[in-house]
């Protein structure tokens, strides 16, 4: 944005803003909030809902404040009679094509349309009801996402999200006029198209048109069933996001309260996905080193490098559709959620003397794609569905409210054991670059016997919010068995948001870039910005969550995965060694090419 | 390679592999195949590196880029005001009777589709209809039937 | 108000008044700024409906610094009741080409496009043949400018300039936010001069004849003549070039069938003028501007049907992106149906008029903004016909 300042008046109050600012931005500076619906800070400006219209002296028509740049001497009125009439009309019109059954709606209380309707005291009875019966048929084909056209206000935020942030393009606007609608290729169900289930569209949908498939009732039923042993695991990013849905500011860490709330709700055992995140590092780190050894020492041509991470199921489905030829590059490690699931009904069951068929395995995730992942046919290594129910951070917040728990007043509690221990390396899985950092902390030490040469273990080059980040680490002073890596410059790359992943992997495919190891997270910011996290989201909010994650890491006594005592123990008691026979059966998986077109 | 694939590739070669070519490519497919099949749209999406949904969404915006099967001859009778006043209803009824289909339908032999259209730009000579790209102004019910009979005699 | 009596003019369709070789050779000798001054001096305003001064449009585009600039001829003519651009392209296409080439020379563009509505595809063969000759001529004259045709595919909104650019870029024809305007960011987001077919022919003729002859016609605010598409209840439907600034009454005297009850000026998106206002209505930018459509209704016509047709048209042809237009059109259409059927009281029409007023100021583009023109003018003047 330019340094040149523009002077204008809003509601007769003078204000100066940089050239190129919009009227919305100028008004914000004066603490006037102009209502918006199609606008989202992460997306390009559409200017289609028209709820933000304002009056500009001298102009015949009103202007969309989200799109209109300021000009010198401009006089803007945000609440004139003309503006208020138009704004109310726009809201009434939206409601007239909207199935406003708020009391039954998943978004009740979290809906931007509902909020506006309440603010302006308008209902859906002014104009004729235009809701089409056919629009009331829900698309629940996907285990992750529910699409309800009767609640769609055509703001196109989802379409822009899927295209601009995710480069997937599963959603598009079709037809025109009264037939215009948001849909998929040939109106197919979401499950049958290229959708990755990432849920980023949900995070930006202002209404209940796109929400997660929710499984709260099912989980409550199991909790209330005395014959079931319900274990729950919580992903790293949940502990830094959950508070936002329960009255706290973004960036609040609530790990202890989270555990406490889950116990209050009645889960039989409250465990941590961090445990299997650490385990992932052991397996994936070993896999990487093995691939490197085969490539460098054995000159094995069949080995594929770079190796990419595999813990983001949105990323997995994306690569299956978009770059099926690169599937051999993907680590065979399951995601921490699925490793946990497989172990819960084997290792955990054994240790606790439980019949796995009576275990109900629930996970709390910042992610909607994990709901799909849990349902993949490959994910039944224990002989049962490894993870039975996946709830989003948002669903958990709702359950906490349903349970009448005063969250902010809870005392902190500790995770149960076994499989409840996690390190700082596991926590940072929740931020983009975190898996890379955790892997480097461990791999470097395995190879050299020394800690990574970064101040306080913080590998800052792989941190941050740049879409694609690269780093090079020169390996020196190797242990004898790793001497083939002496002097090797380890080249790594990190991408988050599938649009960036696509760019990076296109370069890899076209051999325009060479790396050893790549981390990809489907969601902007990594899991902390996942499709199951509290709404709203913005760069600012994601930044605060990232800070919380790194603070959590620094506050933990153990910050390297290979030092997690429970991890050491499980290899001793159960798994043998990384990539060993049992690991293979329980912790690794394979992928299937899917069609993009 | 299927016929459709060959067609799409030829069109992409002709117009260029960029988004700006999308309209001419889709128009080319419709000219040959009368509508955009799923296969055709997928092929266009692949060739131009656009998402399939986007191709469908864009095509469906345009009245002439049909995404449902159409007959060899697509009849579009103007239904807008001047032609309305000049008697488009009797023309449509006559064609509908003759072809035994309603507006929006295609004859079983796949030869004719009967559609209506918005103003075709011949308001001083309504009613008017298009058969594919050919225009027929100042028609009557009888003339319309004769014109269509003429097409029916073509192979 | 200044007004003229009805006068037929013969500038546009006059044969043998345009020798492309001669005109272009002459043009290429001139300073572009002088040409712009002539066009500004002539007072020519765009004939596509919005009436923006053409000379200024060229000047703004010329002033932009850009490697790529474009000239676009808007031949998407889709306004119900308008058919003059088809006739111009059929009769005197060279005059259109010359106008584009002059514009290209003036603004510094190397590419020109004619966006021809898909409904006029039957013109393609002959237009392309003539273009080939014309493009060869420009090559011969060592003028680096090339014109080609892009077809539409049946979407009225693509006549709106920014929707037209989107369409040419292979997207849905959804109008863009403005600013930026086309002179800065048009096709491919490069500076673009987009002009109506008829406008371009006038620029050709002004280049040939100088501004004086053109300026002598019309009124202060509406210089020159204009091609009118006359249809409806008239014994002499067709295309007429008339001097601007005539009172509607004179027009009706010449073209009506003796029983005229209303004239829709400017197509579906224009105004409906009832008999009692014929005298006081001037056809021109100071009165009722028009893209040239004059549709005449006699007393046998139901104005409910007329309005219903228009609203159906807008409901279908709205691009659908913005709330006031997408939903507003449907509400107006279903609203008058509900009133007609007695499901809503007649005073619901007042609610609908307020809604139309909101559409006028809050819709994103000219389509939604102009629905209030026919709606309010018909409802105000023919309220009984709408209700009963
Ligand atoms: C809905 C809508 C449809 C339009 N259709 C046309 C059209 O078919 N032809 C045209 O020349 N201008 C049309 N316009 C006006 C164009 O946006 C633009 O103003 C015009 O092409 C500029 O050329 P001019 O200055 O020569 O009139 C339309 C505008 C709107 C809002
Ligand atoms: S989407 Fe919002 S306004 Fe609509 S029913 Fe749900 S809560 Fe209510
Ligand atoms: S879940 Fe992700 S991939 Fe699927 S439609 Fe939404 S944004 Fe697109
Ligand atoms: S689904 Fe949601 S985000 Fe998408 S257009 Fe509808 S309301 Fe907007
Ligand atoms: S006014 Fe109508 S045509 Fe124009 S942008 Fe809005 S919906 Fe589209
Ligand atoms: S928020 Fe400005 S138009 Fe939607
Ligand atoms: S109304 Fe039928 S051609 Fe114009």
């Amino acid at each position: 944005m330019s340094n040149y300042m523009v002077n204008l008046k809003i509601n007769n109050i003078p204000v100066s803003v940089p050239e190129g600012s919009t009227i919305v931005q100028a008004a914000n500076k004066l603490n006037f909030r102009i209502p918006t619906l199609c606008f989202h800070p992460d997306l390009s400006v559409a200017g289609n809902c028209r709820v933000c219209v304002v009056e500009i002296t001298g102009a015949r028509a009103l202007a969309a404040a989200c799109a209109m740049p300021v000009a010198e001497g401009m006089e803007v009125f945000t609440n004139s009679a003309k503006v208020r009439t138009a704004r109310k009309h726009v809201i009434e019109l939206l409601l007239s094509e909207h199935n406003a059954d708020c009391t039954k709606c998943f978004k009740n209380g979290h809906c931007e349309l509902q909020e506006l309707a309440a603010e302006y005291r308008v209902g859906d009875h002014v104009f004729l009801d235009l809701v089409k019966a056919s629009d009331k048929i829900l698309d629940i084909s996907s285990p992750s996402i529910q699409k309800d056209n009767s609640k769609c206000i055509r703001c196109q935020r989802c379409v822009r999200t899927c295209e601009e942030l995710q480069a997937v393009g599963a959603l598009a606007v079709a037809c025109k006029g009264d037939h215009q609608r948001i849909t998929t290729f040939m109106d197919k169900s979401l499950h049958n198209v290229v959708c990755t289930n990432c849920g980023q569209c949900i995070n930006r949908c202002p209404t209940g048109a796109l929400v997660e498939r929710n499984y709260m009732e099912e989980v409550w039923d199991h909790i209330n069933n005395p014959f079931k042993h319900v274990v729950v695991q919580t992903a790293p990013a949940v502990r830094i996001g959950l508070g936002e849905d329960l009255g706290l500011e973004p960036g609040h860490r609530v790990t202890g309260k989270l555990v406490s709330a889950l116990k209050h709700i009645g889960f039989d055992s409250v465990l941590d996905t961090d445990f299997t995140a650490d385990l992932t590092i052991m397996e994936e780190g070993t896999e990487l080193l093995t691939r490197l050894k085969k490539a460098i020492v054995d000159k094995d041509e069949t080995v594929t490098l770079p190796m990419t991470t595999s813990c983001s199921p949105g990323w997995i489905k994306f690569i299956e559709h978009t770059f099926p030829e690169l599937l051999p590059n993907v680590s065979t490690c399951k995601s921490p959620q699925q490793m946990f699931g497989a172990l819960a009904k084997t290792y955990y069951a054994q240790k606790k003397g439980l019949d796995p068929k009576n275990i109900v395995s629930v996970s709390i995730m910042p992610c909607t794609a994990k709901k799909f992942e849990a349902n993949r046919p490959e994910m039944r290594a224990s002989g049962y569905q490894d993870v039975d129910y996946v709830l989003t951070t948002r669903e958990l917040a709702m359950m906490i409210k349903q349970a009448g728990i005063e969250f902010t007043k809870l005392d902190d509690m500790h995770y149960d054991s076994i499989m409840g221990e996690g390190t700082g390396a596991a926590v940072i899985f929740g931020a983009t670059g975190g898996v890379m950092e955790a892997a480097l902390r461990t791999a470097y030490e395995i190879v050299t016997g020394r800690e990574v040469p970064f101040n306080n273990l913080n590998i800052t080059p792989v941190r941050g919010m740049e879409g694609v980040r690269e780093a090079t680490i020169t390996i020196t002073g190797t242990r004898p068995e790793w001497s083939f890596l002496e002097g090797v410059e380890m080249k790594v790359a990190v991408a988050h948001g599938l649009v960036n992943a696509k760019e990076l992997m296109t370069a890899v495919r076209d051999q325009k870039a060479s790396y050893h190891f790549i981390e990809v997270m489907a969601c902007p910011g990594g899991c902390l910005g996942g499709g199951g996290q509290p709404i709203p989201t913005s760069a600012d909010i994601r930044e605060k969550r990232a800070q919380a994650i790194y603070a959590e890491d620094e506050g933990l006594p153990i910050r390297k995965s290979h030092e997690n005592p429970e991890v050491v123990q499980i290899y001793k008691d159960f798994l043998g060694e990384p990539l060993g026979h049992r690991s293979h059966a329980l912790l690794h998986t394979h992928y299937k090419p899917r069609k993009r077109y | 390679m299927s016929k459709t694939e060959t067609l799409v590739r030829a069109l992409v070669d002709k117009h260029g592999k960029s988004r700006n070519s999308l309209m001419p490519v889709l128009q080319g497919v419709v000219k040959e195949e009368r509508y955009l099949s799923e296969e055709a749209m997928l092929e266009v999406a692949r060739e131009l590196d656009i998402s399939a949904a986007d191709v469908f969404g864009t095509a469906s915006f345009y009245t002439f880029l049909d995404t449902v099967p159409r007959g060899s001859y697509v009849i579009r009778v103007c239904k807008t005001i001047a032609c309305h006043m000049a008697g488009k209803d009797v023309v449509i009824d006559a064609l509908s009777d003759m072809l035994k289909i309603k507006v929006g339908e295609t004859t079983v032999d796949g030869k004719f589709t009967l559609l209506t259209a918005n103003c075709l730009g011949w308001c001083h000579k309504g009613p008017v209809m298009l058969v594919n790209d050919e225009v027929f102004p100042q028609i009557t019910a009888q003339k319309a039937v004769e014109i269509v009979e003429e097409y029916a005699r073509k192979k | 108000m200044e007004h003229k009596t009805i006068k037929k003019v013969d500038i546009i369709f006059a044969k043998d008044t345009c020798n492309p070789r001669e005109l272009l050779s002459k043009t290429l000798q001139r300073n572009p700024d002088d040409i712009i001054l002539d066009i500004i001096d002539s007072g020519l305003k765009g004939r596509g409906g919005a009436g923006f001064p053409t000379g200024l449009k060229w000047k703004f585009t010329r002033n932009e610094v850009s490697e790529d600039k474009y000239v676009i001829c808007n031949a998407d003519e889709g306004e119900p009741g308008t058919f003059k651009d088809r006739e111009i392209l059929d009769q005197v296409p060279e005059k259109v080409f010359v106008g584009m080439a002059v514009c290209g020379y003036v603004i510094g563009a190397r590419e020109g496009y004619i966006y021809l509505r898909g409904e006029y595809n039957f013109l393609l063969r002959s237009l392309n043949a003539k273009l080939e000759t014309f493009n060869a001529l420009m090559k011969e004259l060592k003028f680096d400018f090339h014109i080609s045709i892009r077809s539409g595919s049946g979407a009225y909104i693509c006549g709106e300039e920014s929707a037209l650019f989107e369409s040419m870029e292979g997207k849905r024809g959804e109008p863009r936010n403005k600013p930026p305007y086309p002179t800065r960011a048009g096709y491919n987001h490069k500076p673009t001069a987009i002009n109506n077919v008829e406008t371009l022919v006038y620029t050709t003729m002004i280049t040939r004849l100088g501004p004086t002859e053109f300026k002598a016609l019309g009124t202060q605010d509406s210089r020159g003549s204009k091609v009118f598409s006359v249809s409806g209840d008239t014994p002499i439907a067709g295309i007429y070039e008339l001097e601007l600034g005539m009172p509607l009454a004179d027009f009706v005297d010449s073209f009506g069938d003796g029983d005229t009850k209303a004239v829709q000026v400017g197509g579906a998106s224009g105004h409906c003028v009832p008999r009692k206002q014929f005298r006081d209505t001037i056809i021109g930018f100071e009165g009722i501007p028009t893209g040239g459509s004059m549709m005449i209704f006699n007393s046998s016509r139901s104005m409910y049907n007329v309005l219903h047709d228009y609203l159906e048209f807008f409901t279908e042809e709205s691009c659908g992106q913005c709330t006031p237009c997408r939903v507003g059109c449907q509400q107006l259409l279903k609203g008058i149906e509900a009133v007609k059927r007695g499901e809503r009281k007649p005073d619901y029409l007042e609610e609908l008029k307020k809604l139309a007023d909101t559409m006028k100021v809050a819709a994103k583009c000219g389509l939604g903004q102009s629905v209030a023109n026919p709606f309010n003018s018909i409802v105000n003047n023919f309220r009984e016909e709408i209700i009963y």
Side-chain angles (χ1 to χ4, degrees), chain A residues 297-356:
Chain A
V297 181
D298 310 339
K299 309 271 182 237
D300 183 345
E301 305 258 312
T302 62
V303 169
T304 15
L305 285 170
M307 187 176 92
T308 82
T309 56
S310 57
C311 34
S312 166
W315 155 240
I316 294 300
K317 190 150 182 279
F318 179 78
I319 192 172
E320 287 177 332
H321 282 294
T322 318
F323 299 103
E325 69 277 22
L326 295 181
L327 283 175
N329 293 70
V330 182
S331 159
T332 58
C333 287
K334 286 181 182 170
S335 71
Q337 161 178 286
Q338 292 306 137
M339 287 196 182
F340 191 102
L343 293 173
K345 293 190 182 178
T346 53
Y347 174 61
Y348 176 88
Q350 251 175 45
K351 287 271 180 182
K352 298 280 171 179
L354 294 163
D355 183 343

Side-chain angles (χ1 to χ4, degrees), chain A residues 238-250 252 254 393 407 534:
Chain A
V238 176
R239 68 206 68 191
I240 52 96
L242 179 66
E244 290 170 39
D245 261 356
L246 296 164
L248 297 169
E249 286 298 307
H252 246 87
V254 295
T393 312
F407 186 74

Side-chain angles (χ1 to χ4, degrees), chain C residues 44-54 57-58 72-79 82 84-85 115 117 155-164 175 178 182 193-200 269 313-314 317 365-370:
Chain C
L44 174 63
K45 289 182 181 172
R47 298 299 194 235
F52 191 81
T54 307
K57 188 184 280 190
W58 289 17
I72 289 174
C73 166
N74 188 341
D76 196 49
E77 188 168 61
E79 187 67 51
T82 315
K84 49 141 187 134
D85 292 342
Y115 187 94
R117 71 186 304 219
Y156 163 69
I157 188 58
C158 289
E160 195 281 340
E161 51 200 20
S162 62
L164 186 149
K178 291 174 198 165
I194 177 166
N195 292 105
N196 173 254
V197 174
E198 182 187 340
T199 313
L200 287 163
S269 63
F313 175 81
F314 289 123
E317 294 295 338
C365 87
L367 188 152
Q369 289 170 0
S370 58

Side-chain angles (χ1 to χ4, degrees), chain B residues 20 62-63 79 118-119, chain C residues 117 150-151 154 171 316-317:
Chain B
N20 283 19
Y62 296 95
T63 314
K79 70 168 160 57
N118 284 324
C119 181
Chain C
R117 71 186 304 219
R150 298 294 293 268
S151 291
K171 302 186 205 123
E316 288 172 14
E317 294 295 338

Side-chain angles (χ1 to χ4, degrees), chain A residues 47-48 50 177 180, chain B residues 61, chain C residues 156-157 160 163 173-176 314 317-327 329 359 362-371:
Chain A
N48 61 31
R50 313 308 282 181
Q180 188 247 29
Chain B
F61 184 86
Chain C
Y156 163 69
I157 188 58
E160 195 281 340
E174 291 181 358
R176 298 174 180 165
F314 289 123
E317 294 295 338
S318 153
C319 84
Q321 69 166 314
C322 82
T323 313
C325 174
R326 176 188 68 249
V327 197
C329 288
M359 292 167 69
K364 185 169 175 178
C365 87
L367 188 152
Q369 289 170 0
S370 58
V371 176

Side-chain angles (χ1 to χ4, degrees), chain C residues 21-89:
Chain C
R21 177 182 299 274
E22 208 181 287
L23 255 178
L24 282 180
S25 316
K26 225 175 70 189
T27 300
L28 296 175
Q29 312 284 318
R30 292 184 69 192
N31 181 339
D33 290 320
D34 293 342
I35 301 177
I36 288 181
L37 284 179
D38 273 0
I39 308 276
I40 293 179
D41 185 28
S42 75
L44 174 63
K45 289 182 181 172
R47 298 299 194 235
F52 191 81
T54 307
L56 285 182
K57 188 184 280 190
W58 289 17
K59 185 174 160 177
F60 293 157
T61 322
R62 173 169 169 75
N63 288 348
E64 291 292 328
V65 182
S66 170
E67 184 64 21
D68 298 307
K69 294 185 185 180
Y70 301 101
V71 177
I72 289 174
C73 166
N74 188 341
D76 196 49
E77 188 168 61
E79 187 67 51
T82 315
F83 38 89
K84 49 141 187 134
D85 292 342
R86 171 180 52 70
E87 200 70 14
I88 294 174
L89 284 167

Side-chain angles (χ1 to χ4, degrees), chain B residues 135-146:
Chain B
V135 63
F136 299 93
Q138 268 175 324
I139 47 172
T140 57
Q142 196 195 336
K143 249 167 115 181
V145 167
E146 283 166 18

